Amino acid sequence: MTTLSQTARTTTPAPATTAETPQRPASRLRDHADGMAVASFVLGLLGTLVLNLLLGPCALTLGGLALARGTNRRGRALLGIALGAVDLLLLALLTTTDGTVSWHIGG
């Protein structure tokens, strides 16, 4: 008994190997992202007291980068972003009320 059609066996070719580029392990990148999250939190916290013009945007940037790189410390990155935004709002408040960009206590 013969079959009317025989299916041709096709084999999928093996993926072409390209020149291997050295890649960093994901854990190393995540460690850097964790450090950025902590730095964002610390800079945002310090920025509420001093140098809010400089430290606020740094906290926002580092917190955003940490979240984009998949940090394990997501809460600290979000707190750093929130504190960075508070730094800039505080700067705007100080500028409009006192005409200055720094804290001063007393009259």
Side-chain angles (χ1 to χ4, degrees):
M1 178 173 223
T2 61
T3 60
L4 295 175
S5 66
Q6 293 181 347
T7 58
R9 294 185 183 199
T10 58
T11 58
T12 57
T17 56
T18 59
E20 302 259 341
T21 57
Q23 295 183 5
R24 295 185 215 166
S27 63
R28 187 172 174 192
L29 287 176
R30 188 148 308 189
D31 288 342
H32 286 280
D34 290 345
M36 280 189 245
V38 172
S40 171
F41 173 70
V42 170
L43 289 177
L45 196 58
L46 286 175
T48 58
L49 301 173
V50 292
L51 297 173
N52 47 3
L53 179 62
L54 178 67
L55 297 180
C58 289
L60 287 171
T61 304
L62 285 174
L65 283 173
L67 288 177
R69 293 184 181 184
T71 182
N72 289 331
R73 299 179 182 200
R74 183 173 170 82
R76 288 196 184 151
L78 290 173
L79 279 173
I81 290 172
L83 287 170
V86 166
D87 293 347
L88 295 178
L89 290 173
L90 186 62
L91 175 68
L93 180 70
L94 287 172
T95 303
T96 57
T97 58
D98 292 341
T100 183
V101 292
S102 64
W103 288 95
H104 67 278
I105 298 175

